[in-house]
Amino acid sequence: MTIVAAKKCETYQIEELTEKMSLLLQELGGLKRFVNSGDRVVLKTNLLMGKSPEAAVTTNPEFIRVLARMLKEIGAEVVIADSPGGPFNDKLLKRVYQKSGLYQLAQAENIELNYNTDSRKHEYQEGKINKSFQLASYLENADLVINLPKLKTHGLTMYTGGVKNLFGCIPGVLKAEYHLRMQSVYDFSRMLNDLAGLVAPELTIMDAVVGMEGEGPSNGRPKHFNYLLASTSPYYLDLAAVSLLGINPEEKVPSIKAALADGIIKKENLELRGDQLQAPAEVEIPKIEKENNLLDAKLPDFLSDILEKFLRPKPVFKADKCVGCRTCAENCPPEAITMVDNFPEVDLEECIRCFCCQELCPYDAVEIKYPLLAKLFFSN
């Protein structure tokens, strides 16, 4: 059995967070079960982009503050690290740290922020679909890694949590290579499961006090879920956490479907401890593409090939919000976006529907449009 602990937590007030975090970790045997004095602990946050904590895009700094204080009380050395979208360099890291509130947190609490932007190839022969990964070197000197995801919806993978958060262990623009090689959402999800197996964080603790619904992971709306979750397994944590989004059955999430199919997890091996998980009344969940080809499961190949282009979602750029910053074009894995008169245009024949443009746009200027025919065709 694998334990997933849950505790209700309604605010980011230090007193409540400290109490609930302590109770949460007690369900797993306490923090000292995992951490020794002198250990170097990497807190792998969700630091997708430079957004304020109120936007619910990144792991909340108060959540990190409380955990960091607990670790330092044990005598551990704490390092905050991640690889945001875009180039992996000192300038971008500092800007993202500042906008997300982590720079100020680090100064106040005397916590190290990672600026090591090196990377190295790691073999992983146990992988189901990917046998090696280029990982950020900030992982190499850690005695243990604590994975700190944010509960959010995701336009490509439906949900992002413990497993998906580890994609930030792949540095910067190198993430594009993985999108290009695994254009099916299910192949991409199997790659994420392999990556989680390689990184193997000792603990995954989820910030689900305020998460995100709708067009996540960066352009959705903040949503109060009022929970903290923790587990030794990011896979089982995700299996439990999707119930907070009202996703039923859990196999609707591609990474969970793949983990079940590949024998990484079994539903009957999940043991929930602590508070009962209960989703808010309504949570908006984004649609995702069904397969490599949207119609593979519905029509013969010759018909699906004809109709696919009329059914696939596409990124649409909002003229009233776009400022011509070029972030979308510079981070498009297949280089399908070009700037024309300082405005992005996408070649839909080249577009692989990874939606990195929407995920990384700092001005919320990208919307994913689903054709009416697609909505009717996949209305089940």
Side-chain angles (χ1 to χ4, degrees):
M1 302 296 290
T2 300
I3 297 168
V4 175
K7 286 293 174 183
K8 291 183 178 178
C9 185
E10 296 185 355
T11 73
Y12 289 112
Q13 295 295 322
I14 292 295
E15 294 80 8
E16 182 179 10
L17 272 173
T18 301
E19 176 190 359
K20 298 302 176 65
M21 184 77 78
S22 178
L23 291 172
L24 179 80
L25 294 172
Q26 285 176 24
E27 298 284 1
L28 300 178
L31 195 55
K32 288 184 179 180
R33 173 189 166 193
F34 304 95
V35 184
N36 297 310
S37 178
D39 281 350
R40 181 176 174 85
V41 182
V42 166
L43 300 182
K44 198 291 174 193
T45 65
N46 185 318
L47 202 59
L48 173 65
M49 61 193 307
K51 288 277 191 175
S52 69
E54 292 73 25
V57 172
T58 58
T59 311
N60 190 278
E62 297 308 300
F63 172 93
I64 297 172
R65 186 192 305 273
V66 166
L67 179 60
R69 285 180 177 179
M70 290 180 173
L71 290 165
K72 292 178 74 174
E73 284 178 6
I74 295 173
E77 178 185 355
V78 180
V79 183
I80 295 173
D82 195 13
S83 169
F88 193 36
N89 57 46
D90 289 3
K91 183 178 180 180
L92 177 67
L93 279 172
K94 186 173 183 179
R95 183 166 70 246
V96 174
Y97 285 142
Q98 288 175 329
K99 289 186 176 181
S100 65
L102 295 186
Y103 187 84
Q104 298 84 341
L105 164 68
Q107 287 190 316
E109 300 290 336
N110 192 28
I111 299 170
E112 180 182 342
L113 295 174
N114 173 66
Y115 286 99
N116 180 356
T117 58
D118 294 336
S119 65
R120 184 170 67 84
K121 185 177 179 180
H122 294 256
E123 300 296 329
Y124 187 61
Q125 293 306 312
E126 298 89 340
K128 301 292 185 180
I129 196 170
N130 216 72
K131 302 296 184 181
S132 67
F133 289 89
Q134 191 78 14
L135 297 184
S137 294
Y138 65 71
L139 297 166
E140 294 181 2
N141 295 325
D143 293 298
L144 72 157
V145 175
I146 300 181
N147 182 25
L148 302 180
K150 185 85 165 173
L151 177 67
K152 297 188 290 183
T153 50
H154 196 287
L156 175 65
T157 59
M158 185 179 287
Y159 156 84
T160 175
V163 169
K164 180 65 168 65
N165 192 51
L166 296 170
F167 196 42
C169 295
I170 296 172
V173 295
L174 289 179
K175 297 182 183 73
E177 175 188 338
Y178 295 86
H179 278 293
L180 277 172
R181 285 170 48 202
M182 284 148 284
Q183 297 181 24
S184 157
V185 67
Y186 296 103
D187 287 346
F188 184 77
S189 296
R190 282 192 166 89
M191 178 276 296
L192 293 176
N193 287 339
D194 288 342
L195 176 61
L198 172 60
V199 177
E202 281 79 1
L203 271 175
T204 296
I205 309 174
M206 173 174 275
D207 171 11
V209 180
V210 179
M212 181 175 287
E213 66 174 350
E215 294 299 324
S218 61
N219 293 302
R221 292 177 300 281
K223 182 84 170 181
H224 284 264
F225 294 95
N226 301 330
Y227 282 93
L228 304 175
L229 291 89
S231 180
T232 56
S233 167
Y235 308 105
Y236 279 97
L237 185 139
D238 287 347
L239 183 63
V242 294
S243 66
L244 290 176
L245 298 174
I247 298 174
N248 187 26
E250 299 90 341
E251 291 92 326
K252 287 183 178 179
V253 177
S255 62
I256 293 176
K257 179 180 179 180
L260 288 166
D262 292 336
I264 298 172
I265 57 174
K266 295 180 179 179
K267 287 186 180 183
E268 60 268 25
N269 288 346
L270 169 62
E271 179 182 347
L272 285 170
R273 290 188 183 177
D275 295 331
Q276 183 178 357
L277 295 175
Q278 185 173 358
E282 294 183 6
V283 182
E284 183 183 349
I285 307 297
K287 296 183 178 68
I288 63 169
E289 294 200 39
K290 303 291 184 179
E291 296 287 351
N292 266 328
N293 182 319
L294 269 173
L295 307 176
D296 282 349
K298 300 240 178 197
L299 291 175
D301 288 347
F302 76 96
L303 283 179
S304 67
D305 290 343
I306 294 171
L307 289 178
E308 182 186 12
K309 65 180 178 181
F310 298 108
L311 294 168
R312 299 189 77 190
K314 63 181 179 180
V316 175
F317 302 93
K318 304 175 189 177
D320 60 331
K321 289 190 174 182
C322 179
V323 300
C325 70
R326 303 182 63 85
T327 298
C328 57
E330 291 172 356
N331 291 284
C332 177
E335 300 181 356
I337 298 173
T338 56
M339 302 298 292
V340 179
D341 295 329
N342 209 36
F343 190 80
E345 291 189 1
V346 59
D347 181 347
L348 294 176
E349 295 295 326
E350 297 295 325
C351 177
I352 62 173
R353 272 66 175 183
C354 64
F355 305 139
C356 290
C357 52
Q358 186 224 29
E359 181 174 321
L360 298 177
C361 178
Y363 300 98
D364 298 342
V366 186
E367 182 178 4
I368 306 305
K369 286 286 191 181
Y370 290 83
L372 177 60
L373 183 59
K375 293 178 182 178
L376 294 173
F377 199 87
F378 295 115
S379 59
N380 52 20

